[in-house]
């Protein structure tokens, strides 16, 4: 039963049904998955920060997942300017640095990816970020992990020439759509649209497509951008 609940919760999270995912997991479900779902919901909806933080703090202090998720929370407060704390920049890097030094290869690669995003988006230091993106991409490719790849190339794309940039953004969108990752697909549609010329028919179609999805899933930052 627990295994089935875990599978159902993961599938619901992939669909952007975060509340249903937490309900399916139940109070005795996997703590790390509960924290992951809660942090994912906060990141997309900008809702439930307190619940997400409590779920992360309930994890084993030695858990790489705890450090990674704590880093993500600190980063997101800075990114979205939602009650950022004085130590959020340092806390985010400390979480990623610790997670990158522990856990299995993919956990380390996810930590390096998130660290790169921090360097890229908050510090505006692409020279430091790019090697970490490339290292993470090598791991995603090694394991054939299209979901992970979709995240990395989404952030690598802005640093490429226009033709390669659009190819990366389209691949990110295709990978997410193929995996049924609905919130990520909607976000990829929005980013691709933003990188196309204003008079491009594809851009108009992407906007018509992603906005209803963003409204249904209540993706806070996409709705504010739209």
């Amino acid at each position: 039963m627990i295994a089935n609940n875990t599978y159902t919760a993961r599938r619901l999270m992939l669909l952007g049904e975060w509340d249903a995912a937490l309900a399916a997991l139940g109070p005795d479900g996997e703590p790390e998955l509960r924290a992951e779902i809660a942090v994912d919901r906060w990141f997309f909806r900008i809702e439930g920060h307190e619940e997400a933080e409590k779920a992360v703090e309930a994890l084993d202090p030695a858990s790489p997942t705890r450090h990674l998720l704590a880093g993500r929370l600190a980063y997101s407060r800075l990114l979205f300017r939602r009650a950022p704390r004085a130590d959020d920049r340092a806390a985010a890097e400390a979480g990623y640095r610790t997670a990158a030094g522990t856990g299995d290869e993919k956990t380390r690669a996810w930590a390096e990816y998130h660290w790169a995003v921090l360097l890229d988006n908050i510090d505006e230091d692409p020279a430091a970020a790019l090697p970490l993106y490339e290292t993470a991409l090598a791991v995603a490719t090694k394991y054939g992990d299209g979901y992970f790849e979709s995240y990395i190339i989404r952030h690598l794309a802005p640093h490429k020439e226009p033709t390669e940039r659009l190819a990366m953004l389209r691949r990110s969108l295709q990978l997410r759509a193929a995996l049924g990752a609905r919130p990520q697909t909607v976000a990829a549609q929005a980013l691709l649209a933003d990188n196309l010329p204003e008079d491009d028919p594809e851009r108009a179609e992407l906007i018509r497509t992603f906005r209803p999805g963003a409204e249904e899933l209540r993706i806070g930052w996409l709705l504010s951008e739209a």
Side-chain angles (χ1 to χ4, degrees):
M1 178 65 75
I2 292 176
N4 288 340
N5 288 351
T6 297
Y7 174 80
T8 300
R10 286 194 179 279
R11 295 303 301 174
L12 288 168
M13 180 175 68
L14 204 61
L15 293 171
E17 299 290 346
W18 298 282
D19 295 338
L22 290 169
L25 192 61
D28 299 322
E30 198 178 309
E32 290 195 351
L33 179 55
R34 173 173 297 280
E36 186 181 346
I37 295 168
V39 169
D40 205 50
R41 179 179 62 180
W42 153 254
F43 190 86
F44 279 101
R45 285 190 174 171
I46 320 298
E47 296 175 359
H49 179 274
E50 184 177 354
E51 183 177 351
E53 190 165 40
K54 286 180 179 178
V56 173
E57 289 174 350
L59 299 180
D60 180 348
S63 164
T65 300
R66 173 176 172 151
H67 292 290
L68 179 56
L69 293 177
R72 288 180 59 193
L73 281 176
Y75 163 76
S76 64
R77 289 190 295 265
L78 290 171
L79 181 68
F80 299 128
R81 300 190 177 101
R82 295 300 179 102
R85 301 167 187 175
D87 66 342
D88 272 344
R89 170 61 184 78
E93 181 165 346
Y96 299 150
R97 186 187 296 274
T98 302
T102 56
D104 60 22
E105 186 176 24
K106 286 181 73 172
T107 299
R108 294 196 301 271
W110 270 104
E112 291 184 337
Y113 154 75
H114 282 293
W115 194 350
V117 174
L118 176 72
L119 293 166
D120 200 2
N121 290 348
I122 302 301
D123 294 357
E124 298 182 354
D125 186 359
L130 286 170
L132 293 174
Y133 283 140
E134 296 291 354
T135 299
L137 183 58
V139 174
T141 303
K142 173 182 174 180
Y143 287 96
D145 189 335
Y147 180 76
F148 190 14
E149 181 189 344
S150 80
Y151 269 87
I152 302 163
I153 61 176
R154 169 186 171 87
H155 286 273
L156 266 176
H159 303 291
K160 304 297 184 179
E161 292 301 316
T163 300
E164 188 175 4
R165 178 189 312 141
L166 290 177
M168 279 188 162
L169 293 177
R170 287 194 171 96
R171 177 166 173 78
S172 179
L173 170 55
Q174 291 161 0
L175 287 169
R176 292 172 172 201
L179 293 165
R182 194 173 178 216
Q184 291 82 1
T185 298
V186 171
Q189 290 172 323
L191 185 59
L192 177 55
D194 193 49
N195 278 269
L196 291 170
E198 289 192 5
D199 60 351
D200 191 319
E202 183 185 5
R203 181 180 188 272
E205 183 59 31
L206 285 165
I207 291 171
R208 281 195 295 269
T209 302
F210 93 74
R211 282 182 175 169
E215 289 170 0
E216 183 182 342
L217 295 174
R218 306 207 309 273
I219 301 179
W221 44 272
L222 274 183
L223 293 174
S224 63
E225 288 175 5

